[in-house]
Amino acid sequence: MLPPRYDPRDVEPRILARWEKDQPWRCNPQSGKPPYAIVIPPPNITGRLHLGHNLVNTFQDILIRYKRMDGYEACWFPGTDHAGIATQNVVERALAKEGLTRQALGREEFERRVWAWKERYGGEIVEQLKVLGCSCDWSRQRFTLDPGLSRAVRTAFVRLHREGLIYRGDYMIHWCPRCGTALSDIEVEHREIDGHLFYVRYPLEGGGFIPVATTRPETMLGDTAVAVNPRDERYRDLIGRTAVLPLLGRRLPIVGAEEVDPAFGTGALKITPGHDPVDREIGKRYGLPTVDVLNPDGTINEHGGPFAGLERFAAREEIVRRLTAEGLLEKVVPYRHAVGHCQRCETRVEPKVSTQWFVRMRPLAEPAIAAVQDGRIRFVPERWAKVYFDWLEGIRDWCISRQLWWGHRIPAWYGPDGEAFIAHDEAEARALAKNHYGREVPLRQDEDVLDTWFSSALWPFSVMGWPERTEDLAVFYPTAVLVTAFDILFFWVARMVMMGLHFMGEVPFREVLITPFIVDERGQKMSRSKGNMIDALEVKESHGMDALRFAMAGSSTKGRELRFSLRQVDEARNFQNKLWNMARFVLANTEDLPAGAALAGRPLAPEDRWILSRLEGVVEKVRTELERYNFHLATEALYQFTWHELCDWYLELAKLRLQGDDPEARRTCQLVLREALETVVRLLHPIMPFLTEEIWAHLGKEGLLAHAAYPTVRPERRDPVAEAELERFMELVREVRAVRAEVGVPAAAELELVLTSGAGIEALVGHFELALRRLARLRSVRVSPGERPPAGSARGVAGEIAFFLPVGDLVDWPAVRDKIRKDLEKTKAELEKIEARLGNPEFREKASPEVVARAEAEAEALRGRRARLERQLAP
RNA sequence: GGGCGAGUAGCUCAGUGGGAGAGCAUCCGGCUUACAUCCGGAAGGCCAGAGGUUCGAUCCCUCUCUCGCCCA
């Protein structure tokens, strides 16, 4: 006998072990089945499973499992991302604990350490995906630094370069002093901070001052001019004169520039072409020198004169102090402004001119825009397309070089004179160089690595073996859907579309499902520092992974955030237990069912036809909603059906036949129970794979449920007559129960039920007498049209049926009367509204005939109900 | 400054151009032999506010308010 309480800690590891042993997710591109592919958003090797992963991967697994069961060659390509900065940071922190730095180790040794770290911990996240139940084809697992994928990266780089889409040059980039690298625009987060605006007097040659305002006084060390708006009467006459940079004494020409906003600060702008994009433009126009005053670590370099070596903020303080001492600081006012921060380490970034590699984005962006516009790619929810368009339309070139050690080394080799040779490998570079110089020369490879996202952009095809022409690419590209959260829409999704179109000539995926962002129940972002993280693995321990998956699926919405709390998992756990117990019940009651017994051809009871009809409705609903990515609606339909129709009603009704003395009826009931359980288990499998697989095994089925067929739609099972009949029955039971409860009949009392009116109640009682007695706790049921209820007896109305319960002094007559009155009031109010609507000629004229007919039927039913209730009101 | 999302029962949220639902919490009653992670019953809402379109609006349109996010 199975335990009465489902224990996922027993079941889940066993199922997992079986999956591990049988490798059931391996796909076969030659199967001839229609392909259905998903590439996983590769988690970082530093990652630990959090709820965001859980959500995204649960959705993908639901889709893959559904399609696999539904006859597709469903292939889910897994893998991990080397995550340049993130991983380097993690390993550097670990080194710091040993008192080491990467500089002390040297590049080669450091890289060796990161690989060692990757071997040790990088597999953890993959193990966690397995624990989650992800049915990826693990034989196809890839890592972005694998030799094959590295080759893809170099191939893409070389091609883009030869096509003129990659270039190298000196441009203003964002520099993170802590990470010691350039960043792309989108790796910088702008945050409002409370700072200061410093008003500084710059002396003029020949006497006087020009006041300038700045939020970053330390950048004055790189000033090479002062600019004013030529239409600004205050300063117009100063154009052409020269100011003297305080503290350093550098001579600064005063120039005119339209960009200067006379209303901001003093109206005069100090020009620092090395550290401000606007200043750089102005500097270029006037041929001003560019002075970079920052070392890679954020300290002031040799151009800072006496301030060299000071950390940037210390330098700021020191400069302010000196300016004050010299009487050149006019004033300091509080000033709130947006400042860029490194997405990875939250350090304030500095704009800085630097030599970097860039991808020219405009030519890549246009086809990517078109692909969504013409529907080759569809966003779900659709509104994300707008965000995607807005970004691509305003796109700027992408800085792809990073001054890191962990990543794909840039495939550029430099000759002695700095000439760059871009090649797939050193041998090719050597050949190119020899051709260029006419002799062998020593070459030096670029020290930098590529932005992690460069390799990620190639993922949908590099994971399938590109640039080789593989069978996987031929069969599985383009993939069906990409599932991800919106935070990497620009970082990843848009770039995959661009690269996919460019290199494969075809979109990488047909649909993009943007999942909500998980926050805690108060709407706060979950983070370790806030202490509001929900650990997926802890939840697995306490509730089971199926429960977590079910909760995830059930709370998926179209909003942009998803407030998640353990209460939802409690609910899912309860459902899990309900399902388990239903299975126990069915199994225990069908042990004697012969193997070959079939339902086809057997006479069905009304409740059989009802539950099979309802089941059919659920099959249709679940399929429809899964196709639309409405996991919550599929989940809800399964929950409601299983719990509140199958368990609450059908199982209760089934007990009568199972315990009855008609062997044929018993057999039919057993077969319907099996059919219902099997179908529910199949339907639920993509959402709750462990529990359903376990039940499947107990049902004695051959093979894995994961490979069984998904239930198909069989409209011939729809039976509106049976549904209406059962609805009548259930309504009567509910009403008798309600009357009993409200009127104070002791719960255990077995009463007599007398039905006094209602079309076809004889037939109803004929079939359901036993059921009525059992479900409404009755001693007997009698049909007696027109019989007057004894004074003070309990009574009620269920649809078109009127009834009473002769219980003598067991009931509280005023309570009976109050309940009937309450019902009557409600009925009257509803009737009034409907009659008002029907009384409106425009309604009859303009509303659809079905709506009018429905309203009329409703009114008729309410009138009947009103009459019956009024009659029941007599003492 | 521009854009997006959310505002529905005490809480967390579904939902649809034809009159509002779930789970939890609450209250009442039950150990009814699958399940107390359960069973039965009840109560609870001018669907943020104001206009408009419509025979009819929680749903579509406009404006306002509150909260959150993205981009500049």
Side-chain angles (χ1 to χ4, degrees), chain A residues 679-708:
Chain A
T679 307
V680 164
V681 156
R682 284 176 203 259
L683 287 172
L684 268 168
H685 180 258
I687 303 169
M688 306 183 107
F690 298 99
L691 169 57
T692 51
E693 197 71 81
E694 174 77 0
I695 293 173
W696 189 253
H698 285 295
L699 281 169
K701 296 288 186 178
E702 292 287 316
L704 289 172
L705 171 56
H707 288 154

Side-chain angles (χ1 to χ4, degrees), chain A residues 159 458 460-462 464 466-470 472-474 477-478 496-508:
Chain A
R159 268 186 57 181
L458 313 176
F461 44 98
S462 66
M464 295 184 193
W466 188 88
E468 302 292 325
R469 297 171 55 136
T470 63
D472 276 2
L473 277 174
Y477 191 95
M496 280 191 287
V497 176
M498 292 189 267
M499 294 304 179
L501 286 166
H502 190 73
F503 290 108
M504 296 297 296
E506 174 62 288
V507 295

Side-chain angles (χ1 to χ4, degrees), chain A residues 366-399:
Chain A
E366 272 155 20
I369 292 170
V372 174
Q373 267 168 350
D374 64 25
R376 276 175 290 152
I377 296 178
R378 196 171 73 89
F379 277 91
V380 181
E382 226 154 323
R383 69 185 130 84
W384 289 104
K386 184 173 160 43
V387 180
Y388 170 91
F389 289 139
D390 286 349
W391 186 68
L392 284 176
E393 277 158 14
I395 199 162
R396 280 168 295 176
D397 285 357
W398 175 15
C399 174

Side-chain angles (χ1 to χ4, degrees), chain A residues 74-87:
Chain A
C75 197
W76 187 6
F77 290 81
T80 47
D81 194 287
H82 67 281
I85 300 185
T87 306

